[in-house]
Amino acid sequence: MAFVIKAISVGLEYGMLLWLLYFVSRSVRYIWKDMRKMGRELSREEKARDGEAVLTVVGTNDQRQMGRRFALSEELSIGRGPDNDIVITDTFVSHHHAVVFQRNNLYIIKDLGSRNHTYVNDRKLNGKAYLRAGDLIRIGFLTLRFER
């Protein structure tokens, strides 16, 4: 009987130790993933220069995002997925929500069939639209201003 109690006690101790190691490894993984994502966003943000077409965050429920600028090159993807150029961690945003691309010195925004839609100047975007300086793009709780 004492042997069974000792075996159960040792099993519980090792079980707790394994659970703790699992928890720590998952936490480190998520922290590392967030740090890599922040580094990618910051490096993308640093490319924005004066006189260049950019999207600037002008409205959000996360005040750390306010004022961030994202340079527009040939194509800029927006969505919740980590492979986007602008990652929005909002449940109202699709994994691949919208894309802004350049054609013949004009910038075009296209909704990629998102459920909660993309809005340009408070109008629901159906398909795609040409962007003009000062246009406001709303995706989920994030509002971006197109500047040239």
Side-chain angles (χ1 to χ4, degrees):
M1 183 69 168
F3 176 73
V4 173
I5 293 173
K6 182 69 172 173
I8 291 173
S9 174
V10 169
L12 287 174
E13 287 175 10
Y14 280 106
M16 288 298 290
L17 181 60
L18 289 174
W19 180 82
L20 181 63
L21 288 173
Y22 172 77
F23 176 76
V24 169
S25 68
R26 295 283 295 199
S27 298
V28 167
R29 181 175 153 209
Y30 284 117
I31 290 169
W32 183 257
K33 189 177 179 183
D34 285 345
M35 287 175 56
R36 281 188 20 218
K37 182 173 67 171
M38 284 175 48
R40 189 171 60 241
E41 289 174 356
L42 289 175
S43 65
R44 178 74 179 177
E45 186 179 15
E46 289 170 0
K47 293 180 183 177
R49 294 183 183 93
D50 290 336
E52 186 175 28
V54 294
L55 291 176
T56 303
V57 177
V58 294
T60 180
N61 55 0
D62 181 3
Q63 292 302 314
R64 294 174 297 167
Q65 300 287 340
M66 285 298 289
R68 292 189 69 187
R69 295 166 43 103
F70 299 93
L72 288 168
S73 56
E74 292 181 20
E75 184 172 296
L76 186 98
S77 61
I78 305 169
R80 189 173 45 175
D83 58 334
N84 289 291
D85 297 312
I86 300 177
V87 178
I88 305 171
T89 55
D90 181 349
T91 57
F92 291 105
V93 177
S94 300
H95 283 280
H96 296 97
H97 198 98
V99 65
V100 178
F101 57 94
Q102 181 182 13
R103 294 289 183 268
N104 300 326
N105 205 24
L106 297 172
Y107 288 91
I108 303 165
I109 184 166
K110 179 179 179 184
D111 185 90
L112 299 175
S114 61
R115 280 197 178 158
N116 292 313
H117 311 292
T118 301
Y119 295 87
V120 177
N121 297 324
D122 289 327
R123 289 190 175 149
K124 185 168 82 170
L125 177 63
N126 294 316
K128 55 187 173 181
Y130 290 98
L131 291 173
R132 295 182 312 254
D135 281 349
L136 296 176
I137 302 163
R138 185 168 50 87
I139 298 175
F141 290 111
L142 185 78
T143 303
L144 301 159
R145 183 176 53 237
F146 176 73
E147 299 171 342
R148 250 186 118 162

